[in-house]
Every structure is written in structure tokens, then in C-alpha cells.
Amino acid sequence: MATHGSLKKTLPLQVLAALAAIGAGSVRPLMTLVFGGLANQFNSTQDPDSLKQQINRQVLFLVYLFVAQWALVFIYGTLFSISAIKLSVQTRTAYFRSAIRRDIGIQSQGNTATELSSSVENIEDALAEKLGLVIEAVSTIIISWIIALTRSWRLALVLTVVTVILLGSNFGTAAIDAKIEQRLHEIDTRAATLAEECFEGIIAVISTASEDKFIERFRVLSNRARSLAFWKSPVLAAQYSISYFMVLSAYSLAFWYGTHLLEWDNSQDAGSILVVILCINQGTNAMRLILPVYGVLAKARASMTSLQKIIHSKFNIDPLGSSGIPVEFMHGNVQFDNVSFFYPSRPEEMVLKNLELDFVAGQTTALVGRSGCGKSTVTALLGRWYDPCLGNIILDGKNLKELNVRSFRSNIRFVHQDTVLFNDTVFSNVAHGLHGTRLEKIDGSTQRELVKQACMEANAHEFIAQLPDAYDTHLGIGGNLLSGGQKQRIAIARAIVSSPRILVFDEATSALDPHSVAAVESAIQKASLGRTTVLVTHRLAMVKRASKIYILDKGQVVEAGDHESLIRAKGLYERMYGQQQVLSHLDEEKNQSLVERDHVIEIQGGKEWSSLQNTNQQPEKEDHFSSKKGGATFLAVVHALWTENRRIRWLLTASCLAGIIGAAVYPGQAILFAESITVFQSKESNLQSQSNFWSLMWFVVAIGAFCVYMAVGTLTSVAGSLTLHTYRNLYFESLLNQPLSFYTGKKHSPGSLTASLTSHTTHLQSAITVLNTLLITVINIGSSGILTLVIAWKLALVALFGSLPVVIFAGFLRIRAQTRGQRDISEALMDSARYASEAVSALKTIASLTMESAVCDELERRMKASLHYFYKRIFVTMPFFAFSQAGNLLGMALAFWYGGNLLANGEISAFQIWVVFTAVVAGGDAAAEFFASSNSIAQATAGWNAIHDLQSTSQTLTPPPSPSEKNDLQSSVSLSLSQVSFLYTQAAPRPVLHDLTIDFLSNRRYAIVGPSGCGKSTLLLLLANLRTPTSGVLSANGIPLQSLHPSTYRSRVALVTQDTHLFDGTLADNILLGVPDASPSPSPLSAAHHTLLESAARQAYILDFILSLPDGFATRCGREGASFSGGQRQRLALARALAQQPAVLLLDEPTSALDAGSEAEVLRALREASPGRVTVVVTHRLAAARDADEVLLLRGGRVAERGAHKELMARRGEYWAMWQAQSVERGLE
């Protein structure tokens, strides 16, 4: 199941473990020789002393067998478990190495976490001690058959028919089960992808109040999987029922035919017949005991098939491959030769058409154009994230496809708008730029000098020196202890530290305030000297110094030249530039002063949208994904499952009743076995008639067992599937209804949440199977114990209490140790899954820095570091597991020794011994079978505690809103903040927002401006009711928001964030996401909804673009809308907000990714959409603030200035200075 390379590394361990398992499998067949000898001794008429001596020798042999089996089970259990965890680490590494080499945007973060947690866990489960149990069972079958042939080949051959039928039924049902399991896995993967999308876009989900829509979509997939699982239930039941039927039928056939052999063949004795019967019984019983493993193997096979698709993927662009010409030296001349390109997700739309570009070495070339014209696609092709569909890209005379990917990428560096910094020190973040280059292996002191020099060139050294630990300061997740401008300059330093020949800046200043823009532009100018620089921007003031400017439109070059020549040509560029003007009276001193005013942003000031990833600033009261000390026990879990769901309760009741009847088979089997054995002692002429009668009884019991266990298997499987999907739906609902602060937790990344959703509920499903096994075990032991006490109380007391308590106690200790150790192991492996999923989410940054090898090594290091938890658990629990499997041999030895002595003394009969023996064997085997599944108990308990803990914090527990509450906000809405302050943590030195008192009135427009990190976006979060004030009151129409149901207020509010998120679905689905009664595709839209859809798209100036697509509103967006440009995504998000027809419209940087023309259209749309509602715009582009009724300038979490645009300009204060520092639309001057 694992990869070829990983198998070679663990093969010695697996071979030794397999040999130990084969040895353990031979113990039970050898035990039948002892029983055969004992049967002959019991049936003989020798003197008591001689009988006791014979019994002592046989019993001593049983003790030796016990020691051998305990040692062998311990060895194979330990070695298989160690090899399984090593294989799982290697499989995870192989999967991740392949996942990280896939095309940008294809690999899903949630799928990565799910595959690396639950899928690999399925494989590990199959390859651990369960693999040993299978090999042991196969060994038992083969050796039993060999012994049977040597004792009575006629009887053995007859009984072989039973074995063949049982094998055929097992393989047949297993094949059907595997096919269904594969389909189930595919549906589960789709559900996991949907869940991951929701967690990634949680702000969009919450702000559009669309939780119920996604919950319903998830429920549809879950119900589809549940229905398929219901069809699977009879297949699983058939496995169990047929096995019980065949085992008991084998007894019927064996005793009937064995009696005939005794009469026909004088060379046969009762002992030989008994040995054959017990051997065939051991073989068929071994087949039955491995039935639960078939399900495990089916899941493992489905999981491995899914993993193998990624592991064995073929990569056209392989960043870890060695093929291609290495780049020894690069001049940096790049030509696009007749390049055409379309994205794989939208092959019908050609993004670039016959494109001809020339990037001259050492010069700066700019790409400008309207949103969606293909600028970012050019940068993607430059980084070789994709290859052209037609045409070639030539670097220094060589086709880019001919070059080694890693070698090429190490000479080109990118600075994107959405800068990704890692949760590490400043030094490490900048030093990441050395990966893949010749400087990667230099000593630490030289690296520090290079990092410092790069930071100086990027205008970052001064603010870094003011940080608490300077270059050793940890930046937190996403680097959000810094302002946007500071992060961009760190990114520039990271890009230039390795002295690359090509630098690409893609909208590096679009979302920055004027102060930060000035500093970053200065850094870009310094970094560009002597390098081939590609500048993609909407700010035309930045491209004036470019040696060449290409204007793109619809994927083609429509104009080219330098700034002066393009202005003189009076074409598209001149018209675009006419919409922007840099005020000429700003002198260089003012710009320089802006750079010098840079300061360190405090923790509370760095909190913007990126704070959703910050683990240091949001306290985590508890971890909901591991079983806490004091959590529910397994019995408490069972009680909760029994009481919380009526359908599950009825299924469990019916299953338990059937299980009680099924458990009665065991004491009945003990009586039948004893009666059948003692028939061989009979010297009467009616020997055959007695044999016929008891053989018929065996067959009757076999038919009864078939019916009962068919019912038990079907009901248990249906109950398990119902439990899985019921609690998976509830768990997903609870996850979507957490407060926003929940998603900032260190352990609550989208990947880890998705993995938890899958694994915890799957573990809970196993609780149902374990519960039924436990019930049958308890009733089996109890009823068998009562029977033995009635039949022979002296022997029963010794046999039962001399062995079973020890076996049960050993099993209990194993469960206890595993339950405690499961938390550490699960958390360690979940941490690696989190790391991998987060790495995939930052794949563009990792690929651009050629960090693939580094992150793969780090993942492997993390997983290996967690192995000591596993080894500790193995060496603590495996001795108990071995004893639970071998301990009943001690019970048998004790029972036969004491029973033989009682028989020799004439106190009991052979019949009584065989009844007690069979009962003790059945009880011991049942206990061993139950404790073999103890790992499932630990996992189910941990899963339940995680689900239960999360449900206790879910906002779904809030009572539904009252009709009067809804009416209070039905018409217009006005907002009021009264002395509102907000801290992300109590440990923060100062509030993010401090003592704000502001009124936001209906039918008015408000603009919130200020430097990066001043609290603008945090204020928007409060207004959207996504955060709760630390102090003060936030009211809607005079009603405090805390007294309103969250859905009541949020249904009247629409929020457009800077980081827009589109979901996998049609454009219509995405735009109508916040419209409660709009049906998702493929359901047809009503006329009213279609009108609303077109109206919202028209207002957002995106309708013409949508109608130009082949499928119009039915066009699929793909994952996160990756095939649309930033500006297109922003306008689609605006259309989504307008379709909600909100009373409060909140927008965070709604034009940051737009060109001047699109920006003007969107601003006009906002003006037209403002009447009748509160409109609040957070922006760095002050053109968006010009038309506001009131402008609020924040600084340090306080309102520094407020008033209309003209008033603030007349004051000539801070707002006036910001306006002077920024390019604005000439038409608004």
C-alpha cells in the first residue's frame, strides 16, 4: 500500500514481524494436539495417578504455548506498529513532496490536511497490529489445515469445502465493500473540499449570513454518502453472518462425518477426530476474526488510491526535478514570442492572445491596463507557474521550458500585493530568499550581513532596528505585527537578498496608505537598479521612470513605449493617465519626510484583516480538537449517543436485542460441543443416531446465528453510518457557528479544521461497532459463566476467576493507556497536517522562493519529532495487548489441570469439563476480540470530546430571533458607538480602538482613512458584528448589538473585504450568496432573483464582463475564483454585497485592485448605491473619500480628524497632507 521506496526502508521490520505473526498463528493449531490428547485421556479408563501425570504434561505444554504466543504477539504488534508509523511518515512526506509540486491553485489546503491525517491514518491502522492479526490468522488457517490432513485426511478434505465457501464469500463481499468504499471516499473528499472553502472564506460566509446555505450543501453530500453507506450495510452484515453460519455448520458436518469415520475406520480415534474438528474450527474462526479487518483494509485501499493519484502525479513543471539545463549565469533578457494562454479551469477563455513582449536586461519594464487584461497572467508565466498554450518564452536565447525549474526560479524573485511572511524572525524571513541559490549554504554571520544589506536597500533597516529584538523579532503568523508597508519592504528585502537578475513587482503598493506607498516606492526604485525589473501596477505615477511600458487590453499589447512617447501618442495610456495626476508641487523633501516618519507599529496597531491568522493576539481558552483531561469516558459517550438521537437510539436498541440473542449462541455452543464430544465415548448401538441429532442441532444453531448476526451486522452498520453523518453534520454546523475569534486560533487553520471534521466523526462511528462488540462480549462472558457455574461450580470458579479477570484487566489497562496517549499522538500528527496545509496555502510564495525542499524537510522533521510519543505508547500498551490475545491459554491450562484432577478423583464427568472448557475459550476469545479494537475506543472517546466541546461554544445554541426583533431592523438602520474600545488580547499594551463615540446615520456615506495599522479594518469588523467591543456599547437603531441575535443584524449588513473570496460554484451562486431564498445551481432561478442578479452585477459594473463569458452567470468560479483577476473578483464581491440589499454597506479597500477606469466606475456605483442605507468605506485611496458625507481619520485607534472633505482640506491638517501625497482623479479635483 505504501510507496516502493518507503517499503524498502521498513521491509526488515515487516519481515521480522511477519515471521513472529506466523509463529503466533501456529500456537492455536498446536493447541488442538493437546486437546486431542486430553480427549483420549478423558475417554480412557486408566488409573487416577496415571491420568493426572498425562494431564500435567499436556497442561505444561499449554503453558509453554502461552509464553510463546505472548512473546510473538508482543514482537509482531510492536514491529508492525513501528513500521506502520514509519511508513505513514514516509507516505505523508511523499504525498506532500508531490502536492507541493502541483500547479498553483490546484492543490487544496483542506484536502492536504484530510489526506495527511485521516487518509494516512486509515493506512497506518491497516498496517499496524491489524496486519499482524491478518498474518496470524492466515498462518492459523494453513497450519490448522496441515495438521488436520495429517490426523484424518478424509475428514479434513470434507471440511475444506466449508473453508473454500467461507473464503469465497469473504473475498466476494470484500470486493463489493471496496467498490462502495471508493465511491464513499470520493463523496467525502468533495464534502471536505466544501468545508475547507467555508473555513478559508469564513468572513464572507459570516458576513453574508450564508451559514445555512453551506450547511445545507454539506448535508446534501453527507446524506448522499449516508445512503450509499446504507447500501453497504447488508454487505458487511453478510460477511459476519455467513462466517458464523459456516463455522457452526462446519461443526455439524464434522461431528456427523467424524462419527461415520469412527464406525468405518478402526484406525481413527476420538482424539484424532477432535483434533481435525478443532483445527478446522480454528481455521474458520480465524477467518471470522479478521472480518473487521476487511473494512479497515477497504478504507485503507480507498485512501491509498486517493493518495497515489497525487504521489504518482506527472509534473510538466517540476520544481524539485533535476531535468533541464541548469542556469549558471543569467543576463535577464526575456521575450514573449507569440504567446497565447488560457487557464486550465476556463479553457474556453483565452487570457493572452499572440502576445509579444520584450523585457530588456537591467531595465525596468511596466505592464499596465484595465483589470482582467492579463497582467498578472504574464507574471505567472514569467515565474513558470504555467507554460504557454502556444508560443514560447525565451530567456537569454533559451526556451524557458528547456531550463531546470529550480535553477531558473532561484534567479527570479517576486513581490506580490498579498505578501506572505512566515511565523519566524525578521532575519529568517529575509534569509528565506537565499533558498535554492549558491548563497544558501554560507555561514550564519555572512548571511546576517547579506540580510542587513538587503534591508537597507529596501528601506527597512531603520524600522527593524526599532523592533524589540531587531532582526531576531518574531513577526507572528502572516507577519501581522507589522504594518502593510513594513511587510512589503521585508518582502522586497527577501526578494533582493540573493541578488536575483529578475525582479517582478505585482501590485506591490495597491492597498497601502500614502505614507507606506512613498516608502515602498522608494525601496522599489533602489531594488530595481541594475536588474531586469517587471512592474505591474495601476498607479501610473510609478511607471513614469520605466524604460518601456506595455499597455495590455484583452490579453494583447495595444500600445508600447516610454511614458513621454505614450503621452504624445494620445492613445489608451494617455486617457488612463488623464484619470490620474501626481500633484506637481510635491517636492522631494516632502516625500523624503514621509519616509523618515516611518515608525514601529505596535501590536495593537498592526491588526488588520491579516489578524485572522494571528495566534499571538487572540487568547485560546481551550483546544477543541483533543480530548482534555476530565473529558467524557467511553461509557459517557455511549450514554450520550443513546440519549441524543432517537433514530440512533432505536437502531442501537434493536441491534443490542439482536446482539443479546446472538451472544446466547456461545453458551449453547458449549453445551453442543460437550454433548458431541461425549458421543464418542458412547459404546451404544445408537451412536450414529445420537450423532445425527447433535449434528442437526449444530445446523439449527447455525441457521439461527446467520439470521441473528445478519440483523446485528445490518443494524450496527446502519447505526454507525447514521452516527457518522449525523454528527458530521452537527460538527460542521458547530464549526460554522463559532465566533470569529475562534478562527484566529493557532490550531484552527482551515486545513486542521477540515481534518478534524473528517477524523473525529469517523472515530465516533467506530464507537457503535465497539459498543455492539462490547455488549456481545459481556453477555457471552456472563451467560457462559452462569452456565459453567451451574454445570460444575468448582471448576467454573477456578477457570473463570483464574484467567478471565486477568485478561480483562490487561485489556482495560491497554484501553486506558491508549486513551491517554491518543491525545499526544493525534496532536503531534495534526500539527504536521496543519503545517502541510498552511504550506499549500502559501504555495505561490514557497514556489517563488524555491523553498519546496526546505518545507518538505521541515514537515518530515516535525513528524519524526512526534515519534517518541508513539514509541512510548507502543511499549506501554503492547504487553497488555499481547496478554489480552494470549491470556486465555492460561485459562485453558488452569481449567484442564484442575478439571483433570477433578475427573481423576471422580468429582465431575468429561461432559462437564468440555462445557467449562468451551465456555472459557469462548469468553477468552471474545475478550481478546474486543480488546483488539481498544484503539477504536480511545479514538472514539477523543473524537466525541472534541465534538462535544465545540458544540458547547457554538452560536447555534443562541435562541432564534423574535419577530419583533426582526421588525426593529426591517427598515432603515442607524449605528451608534458609545465610548467603544477594543483589544485583541488583555495583554496588549494599548487598545486597537480607544474610546470611540461615533454615529453612522442612514442615508449617509462615511469614509474611514488613516495610516496602516490605525484600526480602520478593526472598526469595520465591529460594525459588521464580527467582533465584540471590549468596552462601550455598539447599537443599531438604539438596540445594543449584544442583545440582538447575530443573524438578525447580519442579515441587514453587507461587507466587502479587501481580500475577496469567491466559492466554487457559478457566478450566480456567488452573487446571490447572501440572498436567503435564492436556490443554488443547478436549481433554476426565479424571475425576481434573476432580475436582482442582473441589477447587482450592473451596479457593480461587472455585467458586461459576465455576459461576455460563454456560460454567462453559469460560469464556474473554480477554487477561490483563481481564474479571475483581482479587479474582477473585487467587483463580483461588490455585486454580492449589493444583491443582499443591505441597510448597512461596509467596504474595506473596495478599489485597491482596480485600474483608474474601473475605480471610477466602482466609485460611481457606490454613489448610486448609497441612498437609503449607511455606507462606510475604509480606504487608502482618498478619491473614494471625496464624496463621503463625513470622513473619519483614525490614528492610534482614536479619531484624529473628522468632517466633510472640504472642511478637512480647509484645516490643512493630517488629512490634507495625506491628500497632497497621493495621486487623485483629475475629474475630482
Side-chain angles (χ1 to χ4, degrees), residues 34 55 121 163 247 254 499 584 590 650 671 704 929 1015 1072 1172 1217:
V34 179
I55 289 172
E121 198 173 83
T163 306
V247 167
S499 299
S584 57
K590 178 169 286 188
W650 282 113
I671 295 173
E929 185 177 353
L1072 297 179

Side-chain angles (χ1 to χ4, degrees), residues 247-249 251-252 255 274 277 664-680 690-705 787 791 911 914-916 918-919:
V247 167
L248 296 173
S249 295
Y251 276 122
S252 174
F255 281 116
L274 179 60
I277 292 172
V665 168
Y666 293 98
Q669 178 181 330
I671 295 173
L672 287 176
F673 189 85
E675 291 285 2
S676 301
I677 289 292
T678 53
V679 165
F680 294 145
Q690 290 184 56
S691 174
N692 291 343
F693 174 78
W694 292 115
S695 296
L696 179 62
M697 290 301 99
W698 277 110
F699 191 69
V700 170
V701 172
I703 294 173
L787 174 66
I791 294 295
F911 169 80
W914 287 114
V915 169
V916 174
T918 309

Side-chain angles (χ1 to χ4, degrees), residues 222-241:
S222 182
N223 290 345
R224 193 178 302 167
R226 185 185 65 189
S227 299
L228 193 58
F230 286 170
W231 282 103
K232 177 182 172 180
S233 299
V235 177
L236 297 174
Q239 288 180 341
Y240 284 91
S241 56

Side-chain angles (χ1 to χ4, degrees), residues 41 194 202 239 250 360 630 811 930 978 1196:
Q41 298 298 328
L194 172 63
I202 193 62
Q239 288 180 341
V360 180
F930 169 71
S978 177

